[in-house]
């Protein structure tokens, strides 16, 4: 019965026992298989979700957003499936999801290419995020919609720790969760969908070279400062911190500190 349950779950997500070298007989003898996919590369972290398709989406997205799968690079589906140690089916399904997000372009019979967003695209994304996230943070603070900040502070600390350790896969996922968790206080699912998609259409290119830098440290520490302002009911300060934070994020994309520029539209007033 255990095998039947495992097999049903694997089949739903595209798993085939023979392809991964495991059989019903092997499992019946007490052998088990990890339900988490990993990027088969040194220092890669595990992704723990229920569906192989969802795991593949998350882990491939993290590789793209962090810049480890470089913009313009071509990859075969088979090679990605091999890296994840899973069958081609969930990987193919995951890539279709990522194509809808605008992260990749699927090339028929060749694989896929990682899209390279233009500076104009990135500027547009930050502009829209600023329009939505700054006003949302202000409203959440003014209305005191968050009463318990403990979970958010835990995410903030985890984001700092992952950034300091250069664990970009977990950093990207935790940073995403932090921002969307704050916005969820408004109870607006459309807002979460829009911000989530905008974040996924952009990427933090070349994060490795920013490990330990002042720019990345300031960006991650702004999470705690933002929570301090929100918990203290300082709505305008919270809005200013979010504006500055988005400027640092855009700076990491561009490889420079945007808030150091007098012409930067993301430099907070005062």
């Amino acid at each position: 019965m255990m095998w039947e349950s495992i097999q049903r779950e694997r089949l739903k997500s595209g798993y085939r026992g023979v392809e991964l070298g495991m059989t019903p007989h092997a499992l019946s003898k007490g052998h088990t298989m990890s339900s988490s996919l990993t990027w088969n590369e040194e220092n890669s972290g595990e992704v723990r979700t229920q569906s192989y398709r969802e795991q593949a989406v998350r882990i491939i997205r993290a590789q793209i957003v962090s810049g480890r799968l470089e913009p313009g690079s071509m990859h075969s589906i088979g090679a990605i499936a091999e890296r994840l140690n899973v069958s081609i089916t969930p990987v193919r399904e995951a890539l279709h999801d990522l194509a809808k997000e605008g992260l990749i372009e699927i090339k028929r019979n060749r694989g896929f290419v990682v899209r390279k967003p233009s500076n104009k695209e990135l500027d547009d994304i930050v502009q829209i995020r600023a329009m939505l996230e700054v006003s949302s943070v202000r409203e959440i603070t003014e209305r005191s919609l968050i009463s318990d900040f403990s979970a958010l502070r835990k995410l903030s600390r985890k984001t700092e720790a992952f950034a300091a350790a250069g664990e970009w896969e977990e950093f990207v996922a935790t940073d995403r969760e932090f921002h969307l968790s704050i916005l969820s206080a408004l109870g607006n699912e459309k807002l979460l969908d829009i911000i989530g998609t905008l974040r996924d259409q952009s990427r933090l290119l070349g994060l490795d070279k920013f490990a330990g830098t002042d720019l990345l440290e300031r960006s991650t520490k702004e999470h705690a400062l933002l929570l301090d302002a929100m918990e203290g009911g300082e709505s305008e300060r919270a809005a200013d911190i979010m504006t500055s934070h988005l400027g640092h994020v855009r700076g990491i994309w561009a490889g420079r500190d945007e808030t150091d520029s007098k012409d930067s539209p993301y430099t907070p007033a005062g």
Side-chain angles (χ1 to χ4, degrees):
M1 286 188 291
M2 178 181 288
W3 160 251
E4 292 175 355
S5 175
I6 293 173
Q7 181 70 340
R8 281 196 298 271
E9 179 60 28
R10 297 295 192 266
L11 288 173
K12 282 193 294 183
S13 57
Y15 165 78
R16 298 295 184 271
V18 174
E19 290 175 85
L20 293 184
M22 294 295 286
T23 65
H25 175 71
L27 287 173
S28 69
K29 292 295 185 179
H31 296 287
T32 59
M33 175 177 292
S34 170
S35 61
S36 294
L37 302 182
T38 61
W39 188 261
N40 190 17
E41 186 173 274
E42 188 176 348
N43 292 329
S44 65
E46 291 187 354
V47 178
R48 300 175 178 86
T49 55
Q50 294 299 312
S51 162
Y52 272 20
R53 174 179 180 168
E54 292 172 356
Q55 290 184 74
V57 167
R58 181 181 171 190
I59 202 168
I60 296 170
R61 180 196 288 131
Q63 296 296 317
I64 293 172
V65 172
S66 67
R68 286 181 171 172
L69 289 183
E70 296 182 357
S73 59
M74 171 76 76
H75 304 273
S76 71
I77 297 176
I80 296 299
E82 184 177 348
R83 284 284 187 94
L84 296 175
N85 194 30
V86 72
S87 69
I88 288 177
T89 301
V91 174
R92 182 183 291 115
E93 293 172 345
L95 292 176
H96 280 292
D97 292 340
L98 293 170
K100 290 178 183 178
E101 294 178 7
L103 286 177
I104 65 171
E105 292 181 12
I106 295 178
K107 302 294 185 180
R108 189 173 181 180
N109 299 324
R110 296 174 61 195
F112 68 95
V113 173
V114 178
R115 284 194 66 245
K116 182 177 182 179
S118 66
N119 283 329
K120 177 65 163 59
E121 283 183 90
L122 294 177
D123 286 338
D124 289 347
I125 287 171
V126 172
Q127 184 179 44
I128 296 171
R129 283 188 61 187
M131 292 169 64
L132 296 175
E133 292 189 65
V134 172
S135 61
S136 294
V137 163
R138 182 185 289 111
E139 181 179 351
I140 292 168
T141 305
E142 288 175 344
R143 295 171 59 190
S144 301
L145 295 180
I146 300 176
S147 57
D148 185 356
F149 285 80
S150 58
L152 289 169
R153 290 194 181 280
K154 183 177 180 180
L155 284 173
S156 174
R157 291 192 296 270
K158 287 173 66 176
T159 303
E160 285 191 46
F162 288 136
E167 296 179 11
W168 304 128
E169 188 178 301
E170 294 298 338
F171 169 76
V172 168
T174 307
D175 182 69
R176 188 180 197 274
E177 184 180 357
F178 175 83
H179 282 269
L180 295 185
S181 293
I182 289 176
L183 297 179
S184 68
L186 288 172
N188 188 328
E189 291 297 325
K190 289 292 184 184
L191 175 66
L192 296 181
D193 288 342
I194 291 170
I195 295 299
T197 299
L198 289 173
R199 289 179 60 90
D200 295 338
Q201 287 177 347
S202 56
R203 70 280 326 262
L204 304 175
L205 299 177
L207 276 171
D208 283 323
K209 69 181 180 180
F210 287 103
T213 64
D214 182 58
L215 175 57
L216 185 59
E217 182 180 358
R218 274 186 287 160
S219 178
T220 55
K221 287 186 180 299
E222 279 169 340
H223 287 172
L225 294 176
L226 175 64
L227 296 180
D228 289 343
M230 294 182 72
E231 192 166 15
E234 301 175 77
S235 58
E236 288 306 316
R237 180 167 176 259
D240 281 349
I241 291 171
M242 178 58 77
T243 301
S244 175
H245 184 62
L246 289 173
H248 286 146
V249 170
R250 180 62 182 93
I252 293 173
W253 286 338
R256 62 181 184 273
D257 190 344
E258 294 288 320
T259 58
D260 284 345
S261 171
K262 293 181 180 179
D263 300 323
S264 171
Y266 312 115
T267 304

